[in-house]
Amino acid sequence: MDRVVNFASHKYWGVSDPDRFRALMDEACSLVSGGHFLGDNLFTWGRNNSALDDPSFLTAWQGNLQNDADQAIVWRRYILACAAFHCVQLDGDFVECGVYTGTGIKTVMDYLGGPNFPKTFWGYDTFDTNPVEGHIFAGQEEGFFEKVQQRFADYPKARLIKGFIPDSFAQGCPERVAYLHIDLNNADGELAALEVLFDRVVAGGIVVMDDYEWAGVYRPQKQREDPWFEARGYRVFPLPTGQGLVLKR
Ligand SMILES: C[S@@+](CC[C@H](N)C(=O)[O-])C[C@H]1O[C@@H](n2cnc3c(N)ncnc32)[C@H](O)[C@@H]1O
């Protein structure tokens, strides 16, 4: 516990001159006290970097890395892991809306038991296509769903549902939800998911919205989600990671 870890990834978004920015950030890291974190559009220092001090998390996170972005978003992943640690002790299932390759789900399951993860974890996505214009991700083509399913072959509690949210909820949807991660990159889809699922989140359950605190193309999510939550007496915690967190009561 007397060790302070540094973290630096050169994966960020919205930078006009990546080479110059990289050189500047390398220099900035050399000028600050220990415990710096760089990556995923975050630069901070003098932090504990708790994620990197949690051996179970490190194993789960590193065992699931598939690309640079997965590496850079370690702090976001640790928010999910800590939320899951809390929610696994509640009544209700786990849900992720927007699964892509399944790394978000699998990191959480591996943190809390791997194939013995104790809760049913529902994952909803169109998988082979991406309904968000301009957001198609690598690999989203025919056969992609089967590949993601294969990743969970040894995880009997994972239930992946292929289809468009909210229509796909008709294929199966838990009555009680302890953990809800919404990561659809668009406000229409996220609000449609909230309309169905938010009332099913149990008291003490946690909702994490991956892009809530990101601006730019993601800003409509905050703009549309704030009034939706305010109307229900909730205020979203805007996290420095870019996520938004809601504690259900
Ligand atoms: C950013 S990715 C999810 C990443 C994943 N949560 C993780 O942590 O690794 C967003 C996904 O949302 C899916 N998606 C977006 N809108 C959707 C909708 N209305 N119904 C189903 N899937 C949707 C896309 O196909 C894409 O795979």
Side-chain angles (χ1 to χ4, degrees):
M1 292 299 282
D2 55 358
R3 186 176 61 109
V4 180
V5 185
N6 294 318
F7 177 86
S9 153
H10 285 287
K11 181 74 183 174
Y12 14 67
W13 292 266
V15 172
S16 59
D17 182 342
D19 291 341
R20 177 156 163 71
F21 188 76
R22 184 183 181 123
L24 289 170
M25 294 314 297
D26 281 342
E27 185 177 356
C29 286
S30 76
L31 297 175
V32 296
S33 59
H36 69 249
F37 183 100
L38 171 66
D40 197 17
N41 293 22
L42 266 182
F43 176 49
T44 186
W45 60 96
R47 297 301 169 95
N48 288 317
N49 285 334
S50 297
L52 306 171
D53 254 344
D54 179 337
S56 304
F57 174 73
L58 283 179
T59 304
W61 167 62
Q62 285 167 341
N64 284 294
L65 294 177
Q66 298 208 313
N67 53 47
D68 300 355
D70 286 336
Q71 181 138 28
I73 67 174
V74 58
W75 204 326
R76 284 198 240 184
R77 295 296 190 210
Y78 199 54
I79 297 288
L80 296 182
C82 293
F85 183 88
H86 170 90
C87 294
V88 83
Q89 299 172 62
L90 303 176
D91 187 22
D93 290 349
F94 277 45
V95 175
E96 184 174 84
C97 296
V99 174
Y100 184 36
T101 63
T103 297
I105 296 181
K106 200 158 166 296
T107 302
V108 162
M109 292 183 95
D110 285 344
Y111 183 54
L112 297 168
N116 299 317
F117 184 75
K119 298 277 195 186
T120 300
F121 205 141
W122 302 74
Y124 300 88
D125 203 301
T126 41
F127 292 104
D128 297 2
T129 57
N130 191 321
V132 187
E133 205 184 322
H135 254 87
I136 189 102
F137 292 118
Q140 288 195 287
E141 59 195 16
E142 201 182 327
F144 182 67
F145 179 52
E146 287 71 24
K147 283 186 193 155
V148 180
Q149 278 185 313
Q150 195 51 41
R151 223 178 150 193
F152 291 92
D154 297 329
Y155 293 70
K157 295 282 197 174
R159 289 202 54 182
L160 302 182
I161 307 253
K162 181 180 172 184
F164 183 75
I165 293 169
D167 306 347
S168 56
F169 293 137
Q171 296 178 49
C173 187
E175 287 300 323
R176 295 171 72 71
V177 175
Y179 165 105
L180 175 58
H181 181 215
I182 304 184
D183 186 8
L184 296 175
N185 300 133
N186 76 99
D188 284 342
E190 298 212 350
L191 286 168
L194 285 167
E195 285 286 349
V196 175
L197 297 172
F198 189 66
D199 286 348
R200 301 183 189 215
V201 179
V202 301
I206 294 179
V207 181
V208 178
M209 290 163 301
D210 186 64
D211 307 305
Y212 168 86
E213 188 56 7
W214 285 79
V217 295
Y218 300 105
R219 187 157 163 77
Q221 294 176 44
K222 173 187 167 57
Q223 289 171 323
R224 304 255 317 272
E225 287 161 7
D226 276 354
W228 192 92
F229 279 111
E230 293 285 337
R232 289 158 182 79
Y234 285 88
R235 189 152 295 174
V236 181
F237 294 55
L239 304 185
T241 53
Q243 294 156 305
L245 187 147
V246 175
L247 274 182
K248 185 79 189 296
R249 54 173 192 273

